Amino acid sequence: MHDDHHHHNHGHDDGHHHHGPNGHHDHPHAPGHNGPAGKPLQWQTPHLPDHTHEPPVDPATVDLDLVETAFLEGFARAPDPSSFLRLAGIPFVGEMADGVRLHLLRVETEDLVDVGAVMPLVGGSGVAYHPLPARLTSHRRRLAFIYHDGNEQKPLGFAAARALADRSAASQFTVSGH
């Protein structure tokens, strides 16, 4: 027990740091103490984690996806689906490049939610399965336009349906005589 030898002499100096009436309180945390340290880092998103295993995206595809999403949202609520289809540029009677005429029978939408990912293992023996964290789960909707080409039904995607030559006005929805 040699606590007795250490008499802390500076005990009486504490509390005498009054800077008099001139009021210069030099606080170490002056205004702006969250300066450089508090810089927002959110805008520097280098690579979003979910695009690591995908090929680079074509901007046109992204735009089409947005249009397709808007179509799906709107079509689900459209009071008049026929008008909505016309606005969206989906022909009721469409002609393919080879002259085959297609008649739109039905629009199919389907909700898809990705909740897991499978990666091929190196060496090609099997796969590794990863359940996706919530922020990476993705809700997608699949959209198909079911056309009939005179023989059978042909499901077309949004882009393909829009790419058809629109013959709706020409045929006026009458049965053509061939």
Short mmCIF file of all heavy atoms in Angstrom, two decimals, residues 54-109:
data_model
loop_
_atom_site.label_atom_id
_atom_site.label_comp_id
_atom_site.label_asym_id
_atom_site.label_seq_id
_atom_site.Cartn_x
_atom_site.Cartn_y
_atom_site.Cartn_z
N GLU A 54 -24.08 -9.77 -63.42
CA GLU A 54 -24.86 -9.56 -64.63
C GLU A 54 -24.01 -8.88 -65.68
O GLU A 54 -23.12 -8.11 -65.36
CB GLU A 54 -26.07 -8.65 -64.32
CG GLU A 54 -27.08 -9.34 -63.46
CD GLU A 54 -28.19 -8.39 -63.04
OE1 GLU A 54 -28.37 -7.36 -63.72
OE2 GLU A 54 -28.83 -8.67 -62.04
N PRO A 55 -24.30 -9.16 -66.94
CA PRO A 55 -23.58 -8.43 -68.00
C PRO A 55 -23.97 -6.96 -67.95
O PRO A 55 -25.01 -6.62 -67.39
CB PRO A 55 -24.11 -9.09 -69.29
CG PRO A 55 -25.41 -9.69 -68.90
CD PRO A 55 -25.28 -10.08 -67.46
N PRO A 56 -23.16 -6.08 -68.51
CA PRO A 56 -23.50 -4.66 -68.50
C PRO A 56 -24.85 -4.42 -69.14
O PRO A 56 -25.21 -5.09 -70.12
CB PRO A 56 -22.39 -4.01 -69.31
CG PRO A 56 -21.65 -5.12 -69.97
CD PRO A 56 -21.89 -6.35 -69.17
N VAL A 57 -25.60 -3.49 -68.61
CA VAL A 57 -26.96 -3.30 -69.06
C VAL A 57 -27.01 -2.28 -70.20
O VAL A 57 -26.33 -1.26 -70.15
CB VAL A 57 -27.86 -2.78 -67.92
CG1 VAL A 57 -29.21 -3.45 -67.98
CG2 VAL A 57 -27.22 -3.01 -66.58
N ASP A 58 -27.79 -2.58 -71.18
CA ASP A 58 -27.98 -1.68 -72.30
C ASP A 58 -29.03 -0.64 -71.89
O ASP A 58 -30.12 -1.02 -71.47
CB ASP A 58 -28.47 -2.52 -73.49
CG ASP A 58 -28.90 -1.66 -74.66
OD1 ASP A 58 -28.58 -0.47 -74.65
OD2 ASP A 58 -29.55 -2.20 -75.56
N PRO A 59 -28.72 0.65 -72.01
CA PRO A 59 -29.67 1.69 -71.56
C PRO A 59 -31.05 1.54 -72.21
O PRO A 59 -32.07 1.77 -71.58
CB PRO A 59 -29.02 3.00 -72.01
CG PRO A 59 -27.59 2.68 -72.21
CD PRO A 59 -27.49 1.23 -72.54
N ALA A 60 -31.08 1.13 -73.48
CA ALA A 60 -32.37 0.95 -74.16
C ALA A 60 -33.20 -0.10 -73.44
O ALA A 60 -34.41 0.04 -73.30
CB ALA A 60 -32.14 0.55 -75.61
N THR A 61 -32.54 -1.15 -72.99
CA THR A 61 -33.24 -2.21 -72.27
C THR A 61 -33.81 -1.68 -70.97
O THR A 61 -34.92 -1.99 -70.59
CB THR A 61 -32.28 -3.37 -71.95
OG1 THR A 61 -31.44 -3.58 -73.08
CG2 THR A 61 -33.05 -4.63 -71.64
N VAL A 62 -33.00 -0.86 -70.29
CA VAL A 62 -33.45 -0.31 -69.01
C VAL A 62 -34.69 0.55 -69.25
O VAL A 62 -35.68 0.44 -68.54
CB VAL A 62 -32.33 0.53 -68.36
CG1 VAL A 62 -32.86 1.22 -67.12
CG2 VAL A 62 -31.15 -0.36 -68.03
N ASP A 63 -34.64 1.40 -70.28
CA ASP A 63 -35.79 2.25 -70.59
C ASP A 63 -37.01 1.39 -70.88
O ASP A 63 -38.10 1.66 -70.41
CB ASP A 63 -35.50 3.12 -71.81
CG ASP A 63 -34.51 4.22 -71.47
OD1 ASP A 63 -34.21 4.37 -70.27
OD2 ASP A 63 -34.04 4.90 -72.38
N LEU A 64 -36.81 0.33 -71.66
CA LEU A 64 -37.94 -0.53 -72.00
C LEU A 64 -38.49 -1.17 -70.74
O LEU A 64 -39.70 -1.28 -70.56
CB LEU A 64 -37.53 -1.59 -73.00
CG LEU A 64 -38.73 -2.37 -73.54
CD1 LEU A 64 -39.59 -1.48 -74.42
CD2 LEU A 64 -38.31 -3.59 -74.31
N ASP A 65 -37.58 -1.57 -69.83
CA ASP A 65 -38.05 -2.16 -68.57
C ASP A 65 -38.93 -1.16 -67.82
O ASP A 65 -39.94 -1.54 -67.24
CB ASP A 65 -36.85 -2.53 -67.69
CG ASP A 65 -36.16 -3.79 -68.19
OD1 ASP A 65 -36.74 -4.46 -69.06
OD2 ASP A 65 -35.06 -4.08 -67.73
N LEU A 66 -38.52 0.09 -67.82
CA LEU A 66 -39.30 1.10 -67.12
C LEU A 66 -40.67 1.26 -67.77
O LEU A 66 -41.69 1.34 -67.09
CB LEU A 66 -38.57 2.45 -67.14
CG LEU A 66 -37.28 2.51 -66.32
CD1 LEU A 66 -36.55 3.81 -66.57
CD2 LEU A 66 -37.58 2.35 -64.85
N VAL A 67 -40.68 1.28 -69.09
CA VAL A 67 -41.95 1.41 -69.81
C VAL A 67 -42.82 0.19 -69.54
O VAL A 67 -44.01 0.28 -69.30
CB VAL A 67 -41.70 1.57 -71.33
CG1 VAL A 67 -43.01 1.57 -72.08
CG2 VAL A 67 -40.93 2.84 -71.59
N GLU A 68 -42.16 -0.97 -69.54
CA GLU A 68 -42.90 -2.21 -69.32
C GLU A 68 -43.49 -2.22 -67.91
O GLU A 68 -44.63 -2.61 -67.70
CB GLU A 68 -41.94 -3.40 -69.51
CG GLU A 68 -42.64 -4.72 -69.52
CD GLU A 68 -41.71 -5.84 -69.98
OE1 GLU A 68 -40.69 -5.57 -70.63
OE2 GLU A 68 -42.03 -6.99 -69.67
N THR A 69 -42.68 -1.76 -66.94
CA THR A 69 -43.18 -1.68 -65.56
C THR A 69 -44.36 -0.74 -65.49
O THR A 69 -45.38 -1.04 -64.86
CB THR A 69 -42.06 -1.19 -64.63
OG1 THR A 69 -40.93 -2.05 -64.80
CG2 THR A 69 -42.50 -1.24 -63.19
N ALA A 70 -44.23 0.40 -66.14
CA ALA A 70 -45.33 1.37 -66.14
C ALA A 70 -46.56 0.76 -66.79
O ALA A 70 -47.69 0.95 -66.32
CB ALA A 70 -44.91 2.64 -66.89
N PHE A 71 -46.35 0.00 -67.86
CA PHE A 71 -47.46 -0.65 -68.53
C PHE A 71 -48.16 -1.61 -67.56
O PHE A 71 -49.39 -1.61 -67.44
CB PHE A 71 -46.98 -1.41 -69.76
CG PHE A 71 -48.08 -2.19 -70.44
CD1 PHE A 71 -48.85 -1.60 -71.41
CD2 PHE A 71 -48.34 -3.50 -70.07
CE1 PHE A 71 -49.89 -2.31 -72.01
CE2 PHE A 71 -49.38 -4.20 -70.66
CZ PHE A 71 -50.15 -3.60 -71.64
N LEU A 72 -47.35 -2.41 -66.87
CA LEU A 72 -47.93 -3.40 -65.95
C LEU A 72 -48.73 -2.72 -64.85
O LEU A 72 -49.83 -3.14 -64.52
CB LEU A 72 -46.81 -4.22 -65.32
CG LEU A 72 -46.29 -5.35 -66.20
CD1 LEU A 72 -44.90 -5.75 -65.77
CD2 LEU A 72 -47.22 -6.54 -66.12
N GLU A 73 -48.13 -1.65 -64.27
CA GLU A 73 -48.82 -0.93 -63.20
C GLU A 73 -50.15 -0.39 -63.72
O GLU A 73 -51.19 -0.53 -63.08
CB GLU A 73 -47.97 0.24 -62.71
CG GLU A 73 -46.64 -0.17 -62.10
CD GLU A 73 -46.81 -0.95 -60.81
OE1 GLU A 73 -47.79 -0.69 -60.09
OE2 GLU A 73 -45.96 -1.81 -60.54
N GLY A 74 -50.09 0.25 -64.87
CA GLY A 74 -51.28 0.90 -65.41
C GLY A 74 -52.32 -0.10 -65.89
O GLY A 74 -53.51 0.08 -65.67
N PHE A 75 -51.85 -1.15 -66.55
CA PHE A 75 -52.77 -2.10 -67.15
C PHE A 75 -53.60 -2.78 -66.07
O PHE A 75 -54.80 -3.02 -66.25
CB PHE A 75 -52.00 -3.14 -67.96
CG PHE A 75 -52.89 -4.03 -68.77
CD1 PHE A 75 -53.53 -3.53 -69.89
CD2 PHE A 75 -53.09 -5.35 -68.42
CE1 PHE A 75 -54.37 -4.34 -70.66
CE2 PHE A 75 -53.93 -6.16 -69.17
CZ PHE A 75 -54.57 -5.65 -70.29
N ALA A 76 -52.97 -3.04 -64.94
CA ALA A 76 -53.67 -3.71 -63.85
C ALA A 76 -54.86 -2.86 -63.37
O ALA A 76 -55.86 -3.40 -62.90
CB ALA A 76 -52.71 -3.96 -62.69
N ARG A 77 -54.74 -1.54 -63.49
CA ARG A 77 -55.79 -0.67 -62.97
C ARG A 77 -56.62 -0.03 -64.07
O ARG A 77 -57.50 0.77 -63.78
CB ARG A 77 -55.17 0.48 -62.17
CG ARG A 77 -54.37 0.03 -60.99
CD ARG A 77 -54.07 1.21 -60.10
NE ARG A 77 -52.90 0.98 -59.27
CZ ARG A 77 -51.67 1.28 -59.64
NH1 ARG A 77 -51.45 1.82 -60.80
NH2 ARG A 77 -50.67 1.03 -58.83
N ALA A 78 -56.30 -0.33 -65.32
CA ALA A 78 -56.96 0.39 -66.42
C ALA A 78 -58.44 0.05 -66.47
O ALA A 78 -58.81 -1.12 -66.52
CB ALA A 78 -56.30 0.03 -67.74
N PRO A 79 -59.31 1.07 -66.43
CA PRO A 79 -60.75 0.79 -66.56
C PRO A 79 -61.07 0.29 -67.96
O PRO A 79 -62.02 -0.46 -68.16
CB PRO A 79 -61.41 2.14 -66.29
CG PRO A 79 -60.35 3.16 -66.49
CD PRO A 79 -59.03 2.50 -66.26
N ASP A 80 -60.29 0.70 -68.94
CA ASP A 80 -60.54 0.29 -70.32
C ASP A 80 -59.25 -0.30 -70.91
O ASP A 80 -58.45 0.41 -71.50
CB ASP A 80 -61.00 1.52 -71.12
CG ASP A 80 -61.27 1.18 -72.57
OD1 ASP A 80 -61.00 0.03 -73.00
OD2 ASP A 80 -61.75 2.06 -73.30
N PRO A 81 -59.06 -1.60 -70.73
CA PRO A 81 -57.80 -2.21 -71.18
C PRO A 81 -57.55 -2.04 -72.66
O PRO A 81 -56.40 -1.89 -73.07
CB PRO A 81 -57.98 -3.69 -70.83
CG PRO A 81 -59.03 -3.72 -69.76
CD PRO A 81 -59.93 -2.57 -70.05
N SER A 82 -58.60 -2.02 -73.48
CA SER A 82 -58.39 -1.89 -74.93
C SER A 82 -57.74 -0.55 -75.26
O SER A 82 -56.77 -0.49 -76.02
CB SER A 82 -59.72 -2.01 -75.67
OG SER A 82 -60.28 -3.27 -75.39
N SER A 83 -58.27 0.51 -74.69
CA SER A 83 -57.67 1.83 -74.93
C SER A 83 -56.24 1.86 -74.42
O SER A 83 -55.35 2.44 -75.03
CB SER A 83 -58.46 2.92 -74.21
OG SER A 83 -59.79 2.90 -74.64
N PHE A 84 -56.05 1.23 -73.27
CA PHE A 84 -54.72 1.24 -72.66
C PHE A 84 -53.73 0.55 -73.59
O PHE A 84 -52.61 1.03 -73.80
CB PHE A 84 -54.77 0.54 -71.30
CG PHE A 84 -53.55 0.83 -70.47
CD1 PHE A 84 -53.51 1.94 -69.65
CD2 PHE A 84 -52.44 -0.01 -70.54
CE1 PHE A 84 -52.38 2.22 -68.89
CE2 PHE A 84 -51.32 0.27 -69.78
CZ PHE A 84 -51.29 1.38 -68.96
N LEU A 85 -54.13 -0.56 -74.17
CA LEU A 85 -53.25 -1.27 -75.10
C LEU A 85 -52.93 -0.41 -76.31
O LEU A 85 -51.79 -0.35 -76.77
CB LEU A 85 -53.90 -2.58 -75.54
CG LEU A 85 -53.91 -3.68 -74.49
CD1 LEU A 85 -54.87 -4.79 -74.87
CD2 LEU A 85 -52.51 -4.24 -74.30
N ARG A 86 -53.95 0.28 -76.83
CA ARG A 86 -53.71 1.15 -77.99
C ARG A 86 -52.70 2.24 -77.63
O ARG A 86 -51.77 2.52 -78.39
CB ARG A 86 -55.02 1.77 -78.48
CG ARG A 86 -55.75 0.86 -79.46
CD ARG A 86 -56.84 1.62 -80.19
NE ARG A 86 -57.98 1.88 -79.33
CZ ARG A 86 -58.95 0.99 -79.10
NH1 ARG A 86 -58.91 -0.20 -79.67
NH2 ARG A 86 -59.96 1.29 -78.31
N LEU A 87 -52.88 2.84 -76.44
CA LEU A 87 -51.96 3.89 -76.01
C LEU A 87 -50.53 3.36 -75.89
O LEU A 87 -49.57 4.05 -76.17
CB LEU A 87 -52.38 4.43 -74.65
CG LEU A 87 -53.59 5.37 -74.65
CD1 LEU A 87 -54.02 5.64 -73.22
CD2 LEU A 87 -53.23 6.67 -75.34
N ALA A 88 -50.43 2.13 -75.45
CA ALA A 88 -49.10 1.56 -75.21
C ALA A 88 -48.45 1.08 -76.50
O ALA A 88 -47.31 0.64 -76.49
CB ALA A 88 -49.22 0.39 -74.23
N GLY A 89 -49.19 1.16 -77.61
CA GLY A 89 -48.61 0.74 -78.87
C GLY A 89 -48.59 -0.76 -79.06
O GLY A 89 -47.77 -1.30 -79.80
N ILE A 90 -49.51 -1.44 -78.38
CA ILE A 90 -49.62 -2.89 -78.55
C ILE A 90 -50.74 -3.13 -79.56
O ILE A 90 -51.90 -2.84 -79.27
CB ILE A 90 -50.00 -3.57 -77.21
CG1 ILE A 90 -49.00 -3.20 -76.11
CG2 ILE A 90 -50.07 -5.08 -77.39
CD1 ILE A 90 -47.60 -3.73 -76.31
N PRO A 91 -50.41 -3.62 -80.74
CA PRO A 91 -51.46 -3.80 -81.76
C PRO A 91 -52.38 -4.98 -81.44
O PRO A 91 -51.92 -6.01 -80.95
CB PRO A 91 -50.68 -4.07 -83.04
CG PRO A 91 -49.32 -4.51 -82.62
CD PRO A 91 -49.07 -3.97 -81.25
N PHE A 92 -53.66 -4.80 -81.70
CA PHE A 92 -54.61 -5.93 -81.59
C PHE A 92 -54.41 -6.86 -82.76
O PHE A 92 -54.55 -8.07 -82.64
CB PHE A 92 -56.05 -5.42 -81.57
CG PHE A 92 -56.39 -4.73 -80.28
CD1 PHE A 92 -56.18 -3.37 -80.12
CD2 PHE A 92 -56.88 -5.45 -79.21
CE1 PHE A 92 -56.48 -2.75 -78.93
CE2 PHE A 92 -57.18 -4.84 -78.01
CZ PHE A 92 -56.98 -3.48 -77.87
N VAL A 93 -54.15 -6.27 -83.90
CA VAL A 93 -53.81 -7.07 -85.07
C VAL A 93 -52.43 -6.60 -85.50
O VAL A 93 -52.24 -5.44 -85.84
CB VAL A 93 -54.82 -6.85 -86.21
CG1 VAL A 93 -54.43 -7.71 -87.41
CG2 VAL A 93 -56.22 -7.19 -85.73
N GLY A 94 -51.48 -7.49 -85.41
CA GLY A 94 -50.11 -7.11 -85.73
C GLY A 94 -49.58 -7.98 -86.84
O GLY A 94 -50.01 -9.12 -87.01
N GLU A 95 -48.67 -7.41 -87.61
CA GLU A 95 -48.08 -8.19 -88.68
C GLU A 95 -46.60 -8.34 -88.41
O GLU A 95 -45.91 -7.36 -88.14
CB GLU A 95 -48.32 -7.47 -90.01
CG GLU A 95 -48.18 -8.40 -91.20
CD GLU A 95 -48.71 -7.73 -92.46
OE1 GLU A 95 -49.95 -7.62 -92.61
OE2 GLU A 95 -47.88 -7.29 -93.27
N MET A 96 -46.13 -9.57 -88.48
CA MET A 96 -44.72 -9.82 -88.26
C MET A 96 -43.96 -9.48 -89.53
O MET A 96 -44.54 -9.27 -90.59
CB MET A 96 -44.49 -11.28 -87.87
CG MET A 96 -45.17 -11.65 -86.57
SD MET A 96 -44.46 -13.09 -85.77
CE MET A 96 -44.63 -14.33 -87.01
N ALA A 97 -42.64 -9.45 -89.42
CA ALA A 97 -41.80 -9.08 -90.55
C ALA A 97 -42.05 -10.00 -91.74
O ALA A 97 -41.98 -9.57 -92.90
CB ALA A 97 -40.33 -9.13 -90.14
N ASP A 98 -42.37 -11.26 -91.48
CA ASP A 98 -42.57 -12.20 -92.59
C ASP A 98 -44.00 -12.17 -93.12
O ASP A 98 -44.40 -13.04 -93.88
CB ASP A 98 -42.20 -13.62 -92.14
CG ASP A 98 -42.97 -14.06 -90.91
OD1 ASP A 98 -43.93 -13.35 -90.52
OD2 ASP A 98 -42.61 -15.10 -90.32
N GLY A 99 -44.80 -11.18 -92.65
CA GLY A 99 -46.14 -11.03 -93.21
C GLY A 99 -47.21 -11.82 -92.49
O GLY A 99 -48.38 -11.73 -92.82
N VAL A 100 -46.82 -12.62 -91.51
CA VAL A 100 -47.82 -13.37 -90.75
C VAL A 100 -48.61 -12.40 -89.88
O VAL A 100 -48.04 -11.55 -89.21
CB VAL A 100 -47.16 -14.46 -89.88
CG1 VAL A 100 -48.20 -15.12 -88.99
CG2 VAL A 100 -46.46 -15.48 -90.75
N ARG A 101 -49.92 -12.52 -89.95
CA ARG A 101 -50.76 -11.61 -89.18
C ARG A 101 -51.16 -12.26 -87.86
O ARG A 101 -51.55 -13.41 -87.83
CB ARG A 101 -52.01 -11.28 -90.00
CG ARG A 101 -52.74 -10.08 -89.50
CD ARG A 101 -53.68 -9.54 -90.55
NE ARG A 101 -53.00 -8.63 -91.45
CZ ARG A 101 -53.65 -7.68 -92.15
NH1 ARG A 101 -54.95 -7.54 -92.04
NH2 ARG A 101 -52.98 -6.88 -92.96
N LEU A 102 -51.02 -11.49 -86.78
CA LEU A 102 -51.31 -12.02 -85.45
C LEU A 102 -52.47 -11.25 -84.84
O LEU A 102 -52.58 -10.04 -85.02
CB LEU A 102 -50.09 -11.86 -84.54
CG LEU A 102 -48.79 -12.53 -84.99
CD1 LEU A 102 -47.69 -12.20 -84.01
CD2 LEU A 102 -48.97 -14.03 -85.10
N HIS A 103 -53.32 -11.96 -84.11
CA HIS A 103 -54.44 -11.31 -83.43
C HIS A 103 -54.24 -11.49 -81.92
O HIS A 103 -54.06 -12.61 -81.45
CB HIS A 103 -55.76 -11.94 -83.87
CG HIS A 103 -56.03 -11.74 -85.33
ND1 HIS A 103 -55.50 -12.58 -86.29
CD2 HIS A 103 -56.74 -10.80 -85.98
CE1 HIS A 103 -55.89 -12.16 -87.49
NE2 HIS A 103 -56.64 -11.08 -87.33
N LEU A 104 -54.34 -10.40 -81.22
CA LEU A 104 -54.10 -10.44 -79.77
C LEU A 104 -55.29 -11.06 -79.07
O LEU A 104 -56.43 -10.59 -79.20
CB LEU A 104 -53.87 -9.01 -79.26
CG LEU A 104 -53.60 -8.89 -77.76
CD1 LEU A 104 -52.35 -9.66 -77.36
CD2 LEU A 104 -53.44 -7.42 -77.37
N LEU A 105 -55.04 -12.13 -78.33
CA LEU A 105 -56.10 -12.80 -77.59
C LEU A 105 -56.12 -12.35 -76.14
O LEU A 105 -57.16 -12.11 -75.56
CB LEU A 105 -55.90 -14.32 -77.61
CG LEU A 105 -55.93 -14.99 -78.97
CD1 LEU A 105 -55.71 -16.49 -78.79
CD2 LEU A 105 -57.25 -14.74 -79.67
N ARG A 106 -54.91 -12.26 -75.54
CA ARG A 106 -54.92 -12.03 -74.10
C ARG A 106 -53.57 -11.49 -73.65
O ARG A 106 -52.57 -11.68 -74.31
CB ARG A 106 -55.30 -13.36 -73.48
CG ARG A 106 -54.69 -13.92 -72.37
CD ARG A 106 -55.27 -15.24 -71.89
NE ARG A 106 -54.25 -16.28 -71.99
CZ ARG A 106 -54.32 -17.30 -72.79
NH1 ARG A 106 -55.35 -17.47 -73.58
NH2 ARG A 106 -53.35 -18.18 -72.81
N VAL A 107 -53.64 -10.78 -72.56
CA VAL A 107 -52.43 -10.24 -71.95
C VAL A 107 -52.23 -10.99 -70.63
O VAL A 107 -53.15 -11.08 -69.83
CB VAL A 107 -52.57 -8.73 -71.66
CG1 VAL A 107 -51.29 -8.19 -71.03
CG2 VAL A 107 -52.90 -7.97 -72.93
N GLU A 108 -51.06 -11.56 -70.46
CA GLU A 108 -50.79 -12.31 -69.23
C GLU A 108 -49.75 -11.57 -68.42
O GLU A 108 -48.70 -11.19 -68.95
CB GLU A 108 -50.26 -13.70 -69.57
CG GLU A 108 -51.30 -14.59 -70.20
CD GLU A 108 -50.77 -16.01 -70.43
OE1 GLU A 108 -49.56 -16.23 -70.22
OE2 GLU A 108 -51.57 -16.86 -70.81
N THR A 109 -50.05 -11.36 -67.15
CA THR A 109 -49.04 -10.78 -66.27
C THR A 109 -48.83 -11.75 -65.13
O THR A 109 -49.73 -12.48 -64.73
CB THR A 109 -49.49 -9.43 -65.70
OG1 THR A 109 -50.68 -9.64 -64.93
CG2 THR A 109 -49.79 -8.45 -66.82
#
